[in-house]
């Protein structure tokens, strides 16, 4: 079992804010290492840091290809969204780590997180 703090990924439960931060740190340092960036996007009305994780072949660099943003836990009493997004990020990073690209397409270079040559061309 993979563990960070209390519980495991095989166990469905709601994490405290501290456990969520630890899980994000563990993903960033583990399966998402090199393809993620952690940032703080503000604070809640109670002063709790709101953290975000970017997953990209070039984290922190604006790219020309489309991206998506997933928001979880918009309301404090609705924690299932953040749990689902955390698990999705983990699965995405593990797929990238295992295959060198994200899930999608069996053809070489198809549908993954691999670097898109057009990103470099447009950045010049």
């Amino acid at each position: 079992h993979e563990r960070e703090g209390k519980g495991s990924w095989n166990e469905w439960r709601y994490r405290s804010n501290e456990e969520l931060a630890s899980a994000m740190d563990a993903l960033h340092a583990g399966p998402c290492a090199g393809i993620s960036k952690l940032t703080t996007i503000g604070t809640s009305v109670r002063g709790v840091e709101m953290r975000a994780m970017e997953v990209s072949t070039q984290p922190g660099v604006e790219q020309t290809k489309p991206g998506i943003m997933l928001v979880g836990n918009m309301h404090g009493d609705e924690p299932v969204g953040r749990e689902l997004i955390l698990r999705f990020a983990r699965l995405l990073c593990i797929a990238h780590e295992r295959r060198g690209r994200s899930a999608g397409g069996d053809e070489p270079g198809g549908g993954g997180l691999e670097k898109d040559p057009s990103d470099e061309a447009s950045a010049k």
Side-chain angles (χ1 to χ4, degrees), residues 20-42:
L20 177 65
S22 293
M24 290 177 75
D25 290 340
L27 283 177
H28 178 64
C32 298
I35 61 165
S36 65
K37 177 182 177 185
L38 290 175
T39 57
T40 299
I41 58 173

Side-chain angles (χ1 to χ4, degrees), residues 68-89:
I68 63 168
M69 179 173 80
L70 302 173
V71 178
N73 210 176
M74 182 67 73
H75 304 109
D77 62 348
E78 300 168 351
V80 72
R82 75 185 196 177
E83 293 299 319
L84 291 172
I85 291 171
L86 187 63
R87 287 172 177 271
F88 177 71

Side-chain angles (χ1 to χ4, degrees), residues 83-99:
E83 293 299 319
L84 291 172
I85 291 171
L86 187 63
R87 287 172 177 271
F88 177 71
R90 177 179 173 266
L91 292 173
L92 184 66
C93 293
I94 287 172
H96 182 269
E97 182 181 54
R98 285 185 181 161
R99 298 190 314 201

Side-chain angles (χ1 to χ4, degrees), residues 2-45:
E2 292 180 48
R3 294 192 177 269
E4 76 286 331
K6 297 179 189 173
S8 76
W9 289 103
N10 296 325
E11 174 182 14
W12 280 96
R13 64 187 183 76
Y14 299 128
R15 290 170 174 76
S16 68
N17 289 331
E18 294 79 20
E19 291 171 329
L20 177 65
S22 293
M24 290 177 75
D25 290 340
L27 283 177
H28 178 64
C32 298
I35 61 165
S36 65
K37 177 182 177 185
L38 290 175
T39 57
T40 299
I41 58 173
T43 55
S44 73
V45 295

